[in-house]
Amino acid sequence: MHNKSLSELSASLHNGEFSSVELTQHYLDRINAHNETLNAFITVTDDSALKQAHVADQLLQQNKAGKLAGIPLAHKDIFCTQGVRTSCASKMLDNFIAPYNATVVEKINAAGMVTLGKTNMDEFAMGSSNETSFYGEVKNPWDTNRVPGGSSGGSAAAVAARLAPIATGTDTGGSIRQPASLCNLTGLKPTYGRISRYGMIAFASSLDQAGPMANSAEDAAMLLNEMAGFDDRDSTSVERDVPDYTETLNDSLDGLKIGLPKEYFGEGLDPDVAATIEAAVKMYESLGATIKEISLPNTGLAVPTYYVVAPAECSSNLSRMDGVRFGHRCDDPKDLLDLYQRSRGEGFGEEVKRRIMTGTYALSAGYYDAYYLKAQQCRRLISDDFQQAFNDVDVIMGPTAPTTAFNLGDKTDDPVAMYLADIYTISTNLAGLPGMSIPAGFVDGLPVGLQIIGNYFDEARLLNIAHRYQQATDWHQQTPAGFK
Ligand code: GLN
């Protein structure tokens, strides 16, 4: 059951081969067997999952069920789920039971899907290795001594190990694409504004975007169909029709113009990863595409720009965790200041504190112009580079991450080394563009992801480009040995 695609699962549920309750129980059993090893889930919602499955079965029997009805999935623990702990992997929110559903959760529930639980992540989505979680590190199913990537590492490990057929993730600087790359998944970060951020705990509001983490482009397209769309509760969501993303998956790639930014193939890129990406690009040539070298000259500004903008926004967003309204409160506060200081001091982990302090500094009077304003100007240059490139090419390709999965603990003492894990993904968030990572091969048994970046609202094109490659290759069908 757990090696079927979403459309195969849908067909089996609709023709009665198995029920949603049986399918859901199968996944709950797999979670039970493997979660101790992987630590991919923070919360497993067995009871409510089986209830949702039962409702889906009734709809299926009455022929009233939609395409995804009865199919289980997992949500990153950043999405508010009514009545269920929503921790953002922080001690701060360990006791927070969300009083409402995020729009993404609401829409997916309305499609009749079954929530298996909430997946582990870096604390408040800050990290590239899933080692900053209050609930402990997540292991990569391809090698449990290695990181799954972050911050959506729990979702990535869960889908890669077939503990869930598909999952949601969020991407502020790479957190869908980088773990997808390290775990052999298809992950899509849509255009900023394509999916509502309502009920998604904010990290950096101008960069955060939700998306699907899947075993194939087709599966990702099916979930994106449900996730995307305008929401009047998110003022930055865009009022624009949502196409059926599955309809154009098979379009021809004849004449597709692919740009390879020379800045994405320079120093710091592992030579074996580079060779894998080059082979994937060759495959696209055989599928009818033409290749052109391009330049994104301001690429070097992306990481420093991001590490001003994202901390600045998070220092503001996380100020609501004050020990008064949400989450952790210290014992016996002496006075209000003591309450704030100790609640926040105890509730937040080290990386979150580092970001809040950097962000507060960058926003303070006297430094604002030198850091925050400057970063916004750099952000514009980075966006302009992409628009310039899209005058000549349809999409941009390159590696998702500079290396394959690294060992647990390798970068935990060196924040800058960790930040560089997102060197190829961060620019697209700064520009608000859609980006995708798809399985492109293996180096020493570890997955390598190919990144595909499109212009605004080109999700359908990206999925089409990914799908055609997946028709011609079987990298995406490989499963990690211990989790067959
Ligand atoms: N690794 C980046 C960070 O730590 C991106 C995280 C994300 O996309 N949520 O900020």
Side-chain angles (χ1 to χ4, degrees):
M1 278 185 200
H2 55 267
N3 286 318
K4 287 185 189 284
S5 68
L6 292 199
S7 57
E8 287 166 347
L9 288 175
S10 178
S12 300
L13 288 168
H14 278 86
N15 70 25
E17 194 185 316
F18 45 75
S19 69
S20 173
V21 167
E22 285 165 327
L23 180 63
T24 301
Q25 191 59 57
H26 178 73
Y27 278 105
L28 290 171
D29 291 345
R30 286 186 66 78
I31 295 171
N32 209 7
H34 297 295
N35 197 46
E36 207 170 290
T37 313
L38 296 175
N39 199 22
F41 282 83
I42 293 174
T43 305
V44 182
T45 49
D46 312 51
D47 290 348
S48 61
L50 290 166
K51 277 192 197 125
Q52 281 183 313
H54 186 70
V55 172
D57 280 335
Q58 286 174 332
L59 292 174
L60 282 157
Q61 269 160 17
Q62 297 158 7
N63 272 330
K64 286 189 196 150
K67 198 134 202 197
L68 295 180
I71 298 180
L73 93 165
H75 285 298
K76 184 175 182 179
D77 205 17
I78 198 168
F79 292 98
C80 284
T81 39
Q82 191 170 18
V84 175
R85 171 171 62 177
T86 300
S87 73
C88 237
S90 181
K91 180 178 178 187
M92 186 56 102
L93 293 179
D94 180 48
N95 62 3
F96 177 63
I97 308 291
Y100 66 98
N101 280 325
T103 298
V104 161
V105 173
E106 204 170 73
K107 280 166 158 289
I108 285 173
N109 283 348
M113 294 187 82
V114 171
T115 303
L116 295 167
K118 309 290 296 290
T119 57
N120 207 341
M121 53 184 281
D122 280 297
E123 185 180 4
F124 286 107
M126 298 172 196
S128 308
S129 65
N130 219 130
E131 293 170 292
T132 70
S133 169
F134 173 62
Y135 302 94
E137 63 206 15
V138 177
K139 312 275 184 5
N140 188 321
W142 291 92
D143 176 348
T144 52
N145 294 315
R146 292 177 188 266
V147 304
S151 66
S152 312
S155 287
V159 178
R162 275 48 177 181
L163 310 189
I166 192 160
T168 55
T170 64
D171 191 313
T172 303
S175 282
I176 288 176
R177 290 161 288 158
Q178 187 255 11
S181 173
L182 272 43
C183 291
N184 205 44
L185 299 185
T186 300
L188 170 63
K189 180 205 92 75
T191 308
Y192 183 77
R194 178 75 292 191
I195 295 179
S196 169
R197 292 182 298 108
Y198 179 78
M200 199 174 101
I201 294 173
F203 163 11
S205 308
S206 76
L207 302 162
D208 298 341
Q209 189 60 199
M213 301 182 74
N215 280 315
S216 68
E218 190 197 12
D219 286 1
M222 288 171 78
L223 190 62
L224 184 63
N225 277 349
E226 302 304 331
M227 295 174 81
F230 174 68
D231 178 7
D232 59 16
R233 294 174 298 186
D234 171 5
S235 60
T236 60
S237 85
V238 175
E239 208 160 352
R240 187 182 167 114
D241 287 346
V242 179
D244 178 347
Y245 292 105
T246 61
E247 260 175 17
T248 42
L249 287 173
N250 284 306
D251 285 3
S252 161
L253 301 188
D254 253 349
L256 176 75
K257 285 187 262 164
I258 298 174
L260 302 182
K262 63 171 193 274
E263 294 79 6
Y264 285 26
F265 291 87
E267 204 193 327
L269 177 62
D270 178 287
D272 294 329
V273 171
T276 309
I277 298 304
E278 278 152 24
V281 169
K282 282 236 157 56
M283 171 64 87
Y284 274 105
E285 269 184 304
S286 74
L287 294 172
T290 56
I291 314 295
K292 186 174 173 189
E293 187 185 276
I294 59 164
S295 175
L296 300 170
N298 292 295
T299 297
L301 297 177
V303 171
T305 300
Y306 175 88
Y307 280 98
V308 174
V309 173
E313 294 185 18
C314 98
S315 74
S316 165
N317 277 325
L318 269 55
S319 64
R320 65 177 66 113
M321 320 284 168
D322 55 7
V324 178
R325 290 164 295 183
F326 303 98
H328 178 73
R329 179 179 297 171
C330 67
D331 290 332
D332 305 320
K334 290 204 304 294
D335 53 28
L336 188 61
L337 192 61
D338 184 44
L339 167 77
Y340 289 154
Q341 284 177 336
R342 280 201 292 127
S343 301
R344 287 168 68 79
E346 293 163 8
F348 290 134
E350 206 178 302
E351 182 62 24
V352 174
K353 285 179 189 159
R354 182 180 295 123
R355 306 272 180 119
I356 293 175
M357 289 175 68
T358 323
T360 304
Y361 181 83
L363 289 177
S364 53
Y367 295 107
Y368 181 92
D369 287 359
Y371 295 105
Y372 189 71
L373 193 69
K374 194 48 103 195
Q376 295 294 18
Q377 289 164 340
C378 293
R379 189 172 181 176
R380 163 61 60 174
L381 295 176
I382 292 163
S383 292
D384 288 350
D385 278 359
F386 281 110
Q387 289 315 308
Q388 191 70 35
F390 286 129
N391 288 331
D392 294 332
V393 297
D394 302 314
V395 291
I396 294 169
M397 285 189 188
T400 305
T403 64
T404 54
F406 40 94
N407 284 317
L408 289 156
D410 254 11
K411 301 192 189 203
T412 38
D413 294 331
D414 187 350
V416 175
M418 189 70 88
Y419 296 169
L420 290 172
D422 295 311
I423 191 157
Y424 306 129
T425 49
I426 274 177
S427 305
T428 53
N429 299 74
L430 289 166
L433 293 167
M436 216 176 158
S437 181
I438 63 171
F442 292 82
V443 170
D444 298 331
L446 295 169
V448 175
L450 169 75
Q451 186 174 206
I452 317 170
I453 300 168
N455 212 340
Y456 298 112
F457 296 101
D458 267 352
E459 288 78 11
R461 191 66 170 144
L462 294 187
L463 288 160
N464 158 228
I465 292 167
H467 181 72
R468 291 302 296 241
Y469 180 79
Q470 293 179 345
Q471 298 299 100
T473 58
D474 65 358
W475 305 120
H476 66 293
Q477 283 164 343
Q478 308 299 315
T479 48
F483 304 91
K484 297 279 183 208

